[in-house]
Amino acid sequence: MDSAIRTPDTSSVIVGVDGSAPARAAALWAAGEAVRRGRPLHIVHGSDTDGRALYLSAETVEEIRAAGRELLDATAKAVTDRYPGLQVTTEFSRTDAVTTLHRAAGLHGTIVVGNRGLGGFGSLMLGSVGLDTAATAENPVIVARGIDGAEERGTVLAAVRDEHDLVCARHAAREAQLRRASVRLLHVWNILQSLGNVVTMLDRVDEIAGGHEKTLRTVTDTIHEEFPDLTVQGEAEKSVSVAGVLVEASHHADLLVMGGRRAPAPLGLGRNLGRVTHSLLHHAHCPVLLIPRPGSRSPRASERETPSGPD
């Protein structure tokens, strides 16, 4: 790793830049988040020159390095111009962007990525770096969506699927404290998934709904007890589209917090983001904070240990 400044604080906010407008906007948003949390900001650029060493001349590598450092310097200046008191470090890395972000975050950092990168082709599309970072992270990851000209709504939204999302709800409560906002805990259940295709089970709707409301009530009561000074609202909704309800709710939130659930990829190749998580990362109208679910380890966890939120 070729570091332009020093190693980041272990609880820094880490943001990746690639020269795209969404990445620059994400860096400025991440700087505001770092100020809010009272933490340093670490700006990284993964050039992947090591991965392309066989195809690049020494001159080209030097040009990439110079351009990367120029990008980091320009981004750091834009950040410090807006937030003069913020501690900012930068890092140029020869490895790929995803590996660089995970390594920089260490065990306690929070990663921020833009809603799309240089390869993006639409305002709704999350770039491959953002998707891979989110899918393989063991740290919280924020995808900075809906940040251009957005007004504060005063609400942090948390997607609650089951009792395991109490961890996610706690993160949402802490984020709400930082923002002086309220917390909305939203549990959405898909009636078609609950009932299947058996029409004779329709008389069980009330029973199933009661179970879902109990799950939400348990999480909501715990957050009320642990954060007595917060305004906490719990809502349960049934729909044929869990993602659709959450996307609509994100219109009215400053941040959506959800468990970063993963599912096995085809042919056993690693892990993919679940369907609802994937949809929210592409279509939410506010930044999305993914909290890794307990016990949901990715292949990158073992790599980092070696020296060298609802679907």
Side-chain angles (χ1 to χ4, degrees):
M1 180 176 64
D2 185 2
S3 180
I5 305 185
R6 61 182 179 278
T7 302
D9 183 288
T10 55
S11 57
S12 297
V13 175
I14 316 296
V15 64
V17 293
D18 61 3
S20 66
R24 180 183 175 87
L28 291 171
W29 186 90
E33 188 69 12
V35 170
R36 185 180 290 116
R37 296 172 180 223
R39 305 310 310 168
L41 177 71
H42 188 61
I43 308 170
V44 303
H45 174 68
S47 66
D48 197 23
T49 52
D50 282 356
R52 297 179 291 166
L54 294 177
Y55 313 102
L56 300 176
S57 66
E59 293 78 9
T60 299
V61 169
E62 186 54 42
E63 289 175 0
I64 292 173
R65 186 174 300 171
R69 287 177 169 158
E70 182 179 348
L71 169 63
L72 288 167
D73 289 343
T75 307
K77 183 179 185 306
V79 164
T80 53
D81 284 348
R82 181 172 297 187
Y83 302 100
L86 178 62
Q87 179 184 341
V88 179
T89 56
T90 63
E91 175 185 340
F92 176 88
S93 172
R94 299 193 303 263
T95 55
D96 65 275
V98 177
T99 300
T100 299
L101 286 166
H102 288 315
R103 182 172 53 210
L107 296 176
H108 305 292
T110 297
I111 299 171
V112 178
V113 294
N115 68 302
R116 60 189 176 98
L118 289 174
F121 56 87
S123 61
L124 296 181
M125 300 303 295
L126 177 62
S128 58
V129 169
L131 280 174
D132 196 15
T133 301
T136 57
E138 296 299 319
N139 300 69
V141 174
I142 302 175
V143 176
R145 297 193 54 80
I147 58 177
D148 296 330
E151 296 181 0
E152 292 187 0
R153 285 94 167 183
T155 299
V156 173
L157 174 67
V160 177
R161 181 185 185 187
D162 53 38
E163 64 278 2
H164 296 294
D165 278 325
L166 178 57
V167 173
C168 175
R170 286 188 177 118
H171 274 272
R174 295 187 191 103
E175 291 291 337
Q177 285 181 322
L178 292 174
R179 290 168 166 77
R180 301 179 184 275
S182 62
V183 179
R184 182 186 180 193
L185 305 176
L186 182 56
H187 174 75
V188 187
W189 56 285
N190 189 324
I191 188 171
L192 296 181
Q193 288 181 344
S194 298
L195 294 177
N197 296 319
V198 183
V199 177
T200 57
M201 293 179 64
L202 289 176
D203 58 355
R204 292 188 56 214
V205 169
D206 290 342
E207 176 187 343
I208 293 171
H212 285 282
E213 290 171 358
K214 181 180 179 181
T215 295
L216 176 64
R217 187 165 56 251
T218 298
V219 175
T220 303
D221 289 348
T222 301
I223 297 301
H224 269 300
E225 181 179 340
E226 295 181 358
F227 300 87
D229 296 331
L230 279 183
T231 299
V232 182
Q233 178 185 8
E235 298 179 35
E237 294 188 25
K238 63 178 182 290
S239 173
V240 296
S241 174
V242 174
V245 172
L246 291 170
V247 167
E248 179 60 29
S250 71
H251 271 292
H252 313 289
D254 297 313
L255 182 71
L256 167 60
V257 185
M258 62 190 304
R261 297 176 180 82
R262 304 184 182 109
L267 304 178
L269 301 176
R271 301 180 73 81
N272 284 335
L273 291 168
R275 287 175 296 176
V276 172
T277 303
H278 194 277
S279 295
L280 268 293
L281 292 184
H282 281 83
H283 301 287
H285 299 283
C286 69
V288 180
L289 168 56
L290 291 184
I291 306 299
R293 279 176 68 95
S296 177
R297 296 181 63 79
S298 76
R300 294 193 183 272
S302 57
E303 294 175 13
R304 292 217 311 272
E305 292 165 1
T306 302
S308 66
D311 307 300

